[in-house]
Amino acid sequence: MPFLKTSNLVSIERHIVEEGAMHPEATGEFSRLLRDFTLALRIVARDVRRAGLNDILGQTDAVNTHGERVKRLDIHANDVIIRTMERGGHLCVMASEENADLITIPQQLTCGKYVLVFDPLDGSSNIDVNVSIGTIFSIYRRLDEHDTGPGTLADVLQPGFRQVAAGYAMYGSSTQLVYTSGNGVDVFTFDPTIGEFLLTFEKIRIPQRGKIYSVNSGNAYKWPQGMRDYVSHLLRPSDDGLRPYSLRYVGTMVADIHRTLHYGGIFMYPPDSSAPSGKLRLVYEVNPMAFIMEQAGGRATDGHRRVLEVIPESLHQRLPCFMGSVDDVLEVESFLRAANEISG
Ligand code: AHG
Ligand code: MN
Ligand code: MN
């Protein structure tokens, strides 16, 4: 069997402990929180792998707060994360894409100083056809660290620049965990034979420009003019060989972002005439991915503003999303601006 190429074998737990050691104020609480969370991810990864065998595929009768038909695996992953995290004593409140309201910590359990928000299963439309899906999460510190009571909506609605850590797990041909705590982005690959996430890619950097764009082109007829101009531009061959771009779109944000992070280019979920704020949710999807992109040297905006500076107003708020290589995101922004100027 070929050996791992990394010179040091580092598990995610060791990595987080070492990062904590760089902060003298660290109490170890955060590393314990992360350890619990990676347990939840390991359980979800196992259940995703066995979904076809355990008859857990398909839909439920429920429709979620976004008006979408909920899949059984969505609910299962949500349940696993909540049950794993609520009793650790590290969290004061949680919020999930699948819950209309805040998820409070049961009264008999201890509240801690962190806030966890997550999209338990991203890529629902791909669940039943064995295409990559994932889990997205981010962690904040509660606003008043001395408060020992339950967390509030204000604790959850913090701007993205306040994220303490963010990441995603991708259940693909292998399970990988991509993680940042503001000190670059590291990739861990799950080794099922030992049950550990091992560091396989340290401080990943996204290329300055790519040659791939990723968007649901089926919505093109509803796009703003600037968006249509930009995509036509990408498809026009150029003498310098930079264009035309290739189109790749899995329809699972985690997978599309993962490829963009490695190969460069741009991932977009733009506004359109029937969804003026796009589809993706600021708190559970756009903010964690924006943090990761910036930490890998990329750029993430809503077409005009830096995502991480947007102040969330509600739990399930949506935000248009343009993220990836710096030069590509700057370029789409200039197309959107130019079209706005012409239309006044
Ligand atoms: P979720 O499965 O958590 O609801 O998220 C699905 C999202 C995201 O993963 C993906 O980028 C996007 O929906 C795809 O939407 P379209 O099918 O409209 O392109
Ligand atoms: Mn999602
Ligand atoms: Mn989801």
Side-chain angles (χ1 to χ4, degrees):
M1 202 199 337
F3 290 103
L4 273 176
K5 275 199 290 197
T6 38
S7 51
N8 293 314
L9 287 173
V10 181
S11 70
I12 177 113
E13 278 185 33
R14 162 146 294 277
H15 175 82
I16 290 162
V17 167
E18 284 176 6
E19 278 197 330
M22 296 187 313
H23 305 285
E25 75 287 2
T27 58
E29 187 177 343
F30 183 70
S31 9
R32 288 193 290 275
L33 189 175
L34 252 300
R35 188 189 54 204
D36 287 354
F37 193 71
T38 57
L39 171 64
L41 293 179
R42 290 195 305 249
I43 296 172
V44 175
R46 179 200 63 191
D47 296 342
V48 164
R49 294 262 170 266
R50 299 181 53 82
L53 299 169
N54 284 350
D55 193 24
I56 199 177
L57 297 177
Q59 341 219 58
T60 63
D61 291 331
V63 172
N64 70 12
T65 161
H66 313 281
E68 300 153 347
R69 217 31 182 328
V70 179
K71 300 274 183 170
R72 294 171 69 188
L73 210 53
D74 279 325
I75 297 303
H76 178 69
N78 197 40
D79 195 50
V80 166
I81 295 173
I82 296 171
R83 283 193 294 143
T84 313
M85 299 310 294
E86 66 186 3
R87 54 191 328 105
H90 321 302
L91 298 176
C92 61
V93 69
M94 290 182 262
S96 159
E97 185 207 279
E98 295 300 338
N99 290 60
D101 300 315
L102 293 178
I103 304 164
T104 50
I105 305 299
Q107 248 179 4
Q108 69 277 17
L109 300 174
T110 313
C111 279
K113 62 174 182 230
Y114 292 101
V115 174
L116 173 68
V117 299
F118 56 96
D119 175 356
L121 253 222
D122 175 62
S124 302
S125 68
N126 285 322
I127 292 176
D128 292 343
V129 286
N130 202 16
V131 172
S132 295
I133 49 181
T135 298
I136 312 173
F137 67 97
S138 73
I139 297 165
Y140 294 83
R141 231 171 248 115
R142 69 184 306 169
L143 293 170
D144 177 0
E145 290 195 30
H146 302 294
D147 193 345
T148 53
T152 63
L153 185 59
D155 288 315
V156 173
L157 298 184
Q158 298 187 54
F161 69 79
R162 292 243 177 85
Q163 287 170 99
V164 175
Y168 60 83
M170 186 169 84
Y171 314 111
S173 47
S174 64
T175 295
Q176 291 195 312
L177 172 59
V178 175
Y179 170 81
T180 184
S181 61
N183 182 34
V185 180
D186 297 305
V187 181
F188 299 83
T189 303
F190 184 63
D191 183 336
T193 60
I194 54 169
E196 292 276 4
F197 283 98
L198 297 175
L199 181 61
T200 44
F201 207 133
E202 233 178 324
K203 308 288 169 249
I204 187 168
R205 302 294 294 172
I206 184 169
Q208 183 70 17
R209 177 179 275 280
K211 245 196 130 179
I212 298 175
Y213 74 105
S214 190
V215 68
N216 184 343
S217 288
N219 294 329
Y221 71 103
K222 298 187 279 183
W223 285 346
Q225 189 58 43
M227 217 8 235
R228 276 185 267 169
D229 295 344
Y230 172 63
V231 170
S232 309
H233 165 78
L234 295 182
L235 297 176
R236 250 189 320 270
S238 65
D239 292 339
D240 55 14
L242 290 178
R243 303 192 312 270
Y245 275 41
S246 296
L247 167 63
R248 297 278 185 277
Y249 191 67
V250 178
T252 294
M253 184 191 201
V254 164
D256 285 315
I257 290 289
H258 194 66
R259 182 200 53 253
T260 306
L261 208 52
H262 282 82
Y263 294 165
I266 186 164
F267 169 81
M268 302 176 276
Y269 211 109
D272 64 43
S273 54
S274 58
S277 299
K279 173 181 183 188
L280 301 176
R281 298 89 178 168
L282 172 59
V283 172
Y284 319 105
E285 295 172 318
V286 185
N287 258 337
M289 293 308 198
F291 189 25
I292 289 169
M293 276 294 167
E294 286 199 2
Q295 283 295 314
R299 183 174 173 90
T301 71
D302 68 353
H304 311 280
R305 297 173 292 174
R306 183 178 174 227
V307 167
L308 296 185
E309 286 173 16
V310 174
I311 313 282
E313 285 166 8
S314 62
L315 221 40
H316 298 289
Q317 174 179 348
R318 297 169 196 266
L319 192 78
C321 162
F322 298 84
M323 50 177 81
S325 296
V326 170
D327 289 356
D328 289 298
V329 179
L330 286 172
E331 192 163 36
V332 72
E333 288 168 14
S334 74
F335 273 87
L336 296 173
R337 235 184 351 259
N340 281 348
E341 281 162 13
I342 291 167
S343 71

